[in-house]
Amino acid sequence: MTEDLLVEPQALRAEVRHKYRQVAEAPGGSYHFHTGRSLAARLGYERSAVDDLPDSAVESFAGVGNPFSLRSLDPGERVVDVGSGAGLDSFVARAQVGPAGQVIGVDMTAEMLEKSRRIAGSLDVENVEFREGLAEALPVEDGWADVVISNGVINLCPDKRAVLSEIQRVLRPGGLLQFADIANGRPVPEEALRNIDLWTG
């Protein structure tokens, strides 16, 4: 384990994968967080951006905020979605950037990737793709993105410095980060930080 990390990265990733495998395969299950269309509405997603998407693209959505509330994406922009899950934010981004833009969703959970790729195939869209990878090692070339979006993912990453460094690497100079995440705002006891069960709920 890296010396300054309080949890074992592989162990935490295994727990996160387990949790989100469940959300991909059983989106109607009982979780400690909300999911799906009702969550998207609660977080202020425009109905027009969500209503036309198939249920499979929305049912496993488990974000914590709305990165598009900060700014709508511009036509033609290139976007990286860090922790794209089943793809809701990537599909919303695809619609905003239009056919001249491009979206790359990155996720580490095989079941989420399979689901997002299947949905992209069913929608017959060409300007969004989903790649397997970690937030700490994004499979995207240097300076490719105009915008990086992320929704409820960075808090689940063991090495947040590495995540932010990767985001900076893939952004072009002057590019934008639009993300929603969980912030406590108060010190967390070290024993709690070392408890992986508390990271994933």
Side-chain angles (χ1 to χ4, degrees):
M1 179 165 60
T2 303
E3 192 171 315
D4 60 348
L5 299 181
L6 296 174
V7 294
E8 170 56 51
Q10 294 300 328
L12 176 58
R13 289 178 190 133
E15 284 296 314
V16 172
R17 284 189 178 103
H18 174 70
K19 176 69 70 178
Y20 289 93
R21 179 182 308 120
Q22 293 177 318
V23 177
E25 295 178 340
S30 178
Y31 304 104
H32 71 280
F33 45 79
H34 298 280
T35 58
R37 290 189 189 277
S38 63
L39 174 61
R42 181 180 302 192
L43 296 178
Y45 281 69
E46 292 184 14
R47 289 192 59 176
S48 60
V50 177
D51 283 358
D52 290 341
L53 292 171
D55 286 343
S56 57
V58 187
E59 63 190 4
S60 296
F61 172 64
V64 300
N66 178 357
F68 305 104
S69 67
L70 302 171
R71 164 186 171 271
S72 292
L73 303 175
D74 290 334
E77 285 186 322
R78 299 198 294 191
V79 181
V80 174
D81 180 5
V82 179
S84 50
L88 173 65
D89 284 337
S90 291
F91 294 121
V92 171
R94 183 202 67 84
Q96 291 188 3
V97 301
Q102 193 172 352
V103 180
I104 297 173
V106 178
D107 206 276
M108 67 173 187
T109 302
E111 291 76 7
M112 284 292 192
L113 282 168
E114 190 280 329
K115 191 167 191 174
S116 62
R117 289 168 174 162
R118 178 163 35 86
I119 296 163
S122 71
L123 294 172
D124 196 24
V125 293
E126 296 183 351
N127 61 338
V128 60
E129 66 173 295
F130 295 95
R131 299 179 181 177
E132 182 176 5
L134 301 175
E136 295 93 337
L138 294 169
V140 179
E141 66 189 78
D142 295 358
W144 181 87
D146 298 300
V147 184
V148 170
I149 61 174
S150 186
N151 195 346
V153 172
I154 297 174
N155 76 91
L156 295 172
C157 296
D159 190 345
K160 293 165 181 54
R161 287 181 190 273
V163 174
L164 294 173
S165 177
E166 274 295 274
I167 289 172
Q168 185 177 33
R169 180 185 64 76
V170 303
L171 278 170
R172 66 166 172 77
L176 300 174
L177 168 62
Q178 299 179 210
F179 76 105
D181 220 303
I182 297 170
N184 185 337
R186 292 184 298 179
V188 178
E190 184 171 320
E191 60 270 24
L193 290 172
R194 293 184 182 280
N195 186 338
I196 286 179
D197 289 341
L198 295 178
W199 285 63
T200 60

